[in-house]
Amino acid sequence: MVRIISVYGGMLLSAMGKTLLLALLGLFFACIIGMFFGILSVLKNKACNIIAQIFVDAIRGVPMIVLAFFVYFGIPYFFNTTIGGFNVSLTALQAGTICLALNCGAYMSEIIRAGIESVDVGQMEAARSLGLSYGKAMRRVVLPQAIRTMIPSIINQFIITLKDTSILSVIGFPELVNTAKNVQANTFMAFQTWLIVGIMYLIVITALSRTAKLLERRLKRGR
Amino acid sequence: MAANKNNVKIEVKNLKKDFEDLEVLKDISTTVYEGEVVVLIGPSGSGKSTFLRCLNRLEEATAGTIIIDGYDITDKKIDINKVREKIGMVFQHFNLFNNLNVIKNMTLAPLELKKASPEEANENAMRMLRRVGLEDKAESYPSQLSGGQKQRVAIARSLCMHPDIMLFDEPTSALDPEMVGEVLQVMKDLAAEGMTMVIVTHEMGFAREVADRVLFMDGGYIVEEGPPQELLLHPKEPRTIDFLNKVL
């Protein structure tokens, strides 16, 4: 145990850094995707609603490991060989970010839709009756209230996404799980290696959820 | 103040409104003049609220025309937001913006629509708050107000846009009985100042005292209309008589 920490500690820590980098990149784009499709799904426009629904259904209906293989191997193959003539290649970080952004984005879009729908329609009607446009009413009245109810679910989704980075070890990104596999192969100390990795995840995620609780309480007080 | 018969504020012609296959408004025609106070009464489900909500296009008319101050709001090409600026609406459940305090509730629309500078908007809002007797609540949040106070703020919020017409959708129905009076008083003051008002209410005493004209609606039609003394005390239509017997 001590030997693993002293010899491989730095390596595991830097892998944790890569895990966090991947999670942050994924979450950043997931927020944009989620906001986009979330708004599409509440607009009073059937075509927009259907597009958002198809996106959410498609992503939710496919395991992330399949999505990862598809993005990392499938898409470059499609452009370079099936169509031919392209020279597309994705790094594991790029592919991983795309997977996380799509996957988390689909769930975020559902959280955002539910959050907006949880705000009483009277709020929108009152704003519109004063002459505000739909967009202004959404931005100034509905979304600020919706975000407050969404925060616990969004944080929960952040935690899930952080854990889901481990799935991306399958496309060779040197995040924590992938690195730990190498440590285990070198040392044959499976128990110690995975115990350390488990504790590392536990610390980061607990810290994240505690901060989230604090933030949530502050938002409630500052209403 | 008496209605000015030379100036038509609202003209409704053969208005029809369906919700899917439910016909709520079948054929409504009426004219509201400047300074007139019109009260809509009728059993629940008779289409009173739907009619009122058609007047600022919160509900889209299925057929017919609605002309507000010369603008045909059933015309899809019209900028409805511009017309709505001139029509205040007060809701049964107040609908104050829960994320904003009282003063910000009142200045949001004037500021967003560039009707006033921040100082003007604030001053104006404070004047309106004084008018409804709530100047000490400017910094409160809606959750800290009683129902009656919320509704008075909601009325003051509408007034901040300097509307020509005010629509009231059962403004006292969600209030505790002891708070009804304070809201009705604000509405009486408005009527006395000559505001054009269309009010859906179950307050028959208020209707008798303040209305210039009462419309009795049932089954998607205006069954009977007339001055309050006449309609409330000497109704002619059997359905009006039946309804008034139940509520008076």
Side-chain angles (χ1 to χ4, degrees), chain A residues 120 122-123 125-133 136 140-141 144-145 223, chain B residues 53 56 81 84 87 91 95-99 108 112-113 141 143 157 161:
Chain A
D120 179 34
Q123 298 283 311
E125 287 182 351
R128 296 305 306 275
S129 79
L130 288 165
L132 296 179
S133 64
K136 282 195 172 116
R140 299 300 309 274
V141 175
Q145 296 182 55
R223 65 142 6 305
Chain B
R53 290 162 59 84
N56 67 352
N81 295 330
R84 281 176 178 155
I87 313 174
F91 299 85
N95 298 353
L96 292 183
F97 307 136
N98 297 318
N99 56 321
L108 176 69
E112 283 286 324
L113 300 170
Y141 276 86
S143 59
R157 177 176 70 180
M161 290 298 288

Side-chain angles (χ1 to χ4, degrees), chain A residues 123-188:
Chain A
Q123 298 283 311
M124 175 57 93
E125 287 182 351
R128 296 305 306 275
S129 79
L130 288 165
L132 296 179
S133 64
Y134 179 86
K136 282 195 172 116
M138 198 48 127
R139 239 185 7 258
R140 299 300 309 274
V141 175
V142 177
L143 279 181
Q145 296 182 55
I147 284 169
R148 194 163 290 145
T149 65
M150 287 175 212
I151 280 179
S153 315
I154 288 179
I155 287 163
N156 194 35
Q157 191 56 45
F158 279 12
I159 290 171
I160 292 171
T161 301
L162 180 57
K163 293 207 260 187
D164 278 354
T165 54
S166 60
I167 295 172
L168 297 169
S169 60
V170 297
I171 57 171
F173 184 71
E175 47 68 68
L176 190 52
V177 168
N178 207 0
T179 306
K181 275 202 256 176
N182 294 335
V183 174
Q184 183 200 353
N186 287 344
T187 60
F188 302 107

Side-chain angles (χ1 to χ4, degrees), chain B residues 217-236:
Chain B
M217 284 182 67
D218 193 20
Y221 295 100
I222 296 174
V223 175
E224 190 173 355
E225 64 178 296
Q229 258 66 13
E230 214 166 282
L231 188 126
L232 297 176
L233 301 177
H234 310 289
K236 293 183 190 70

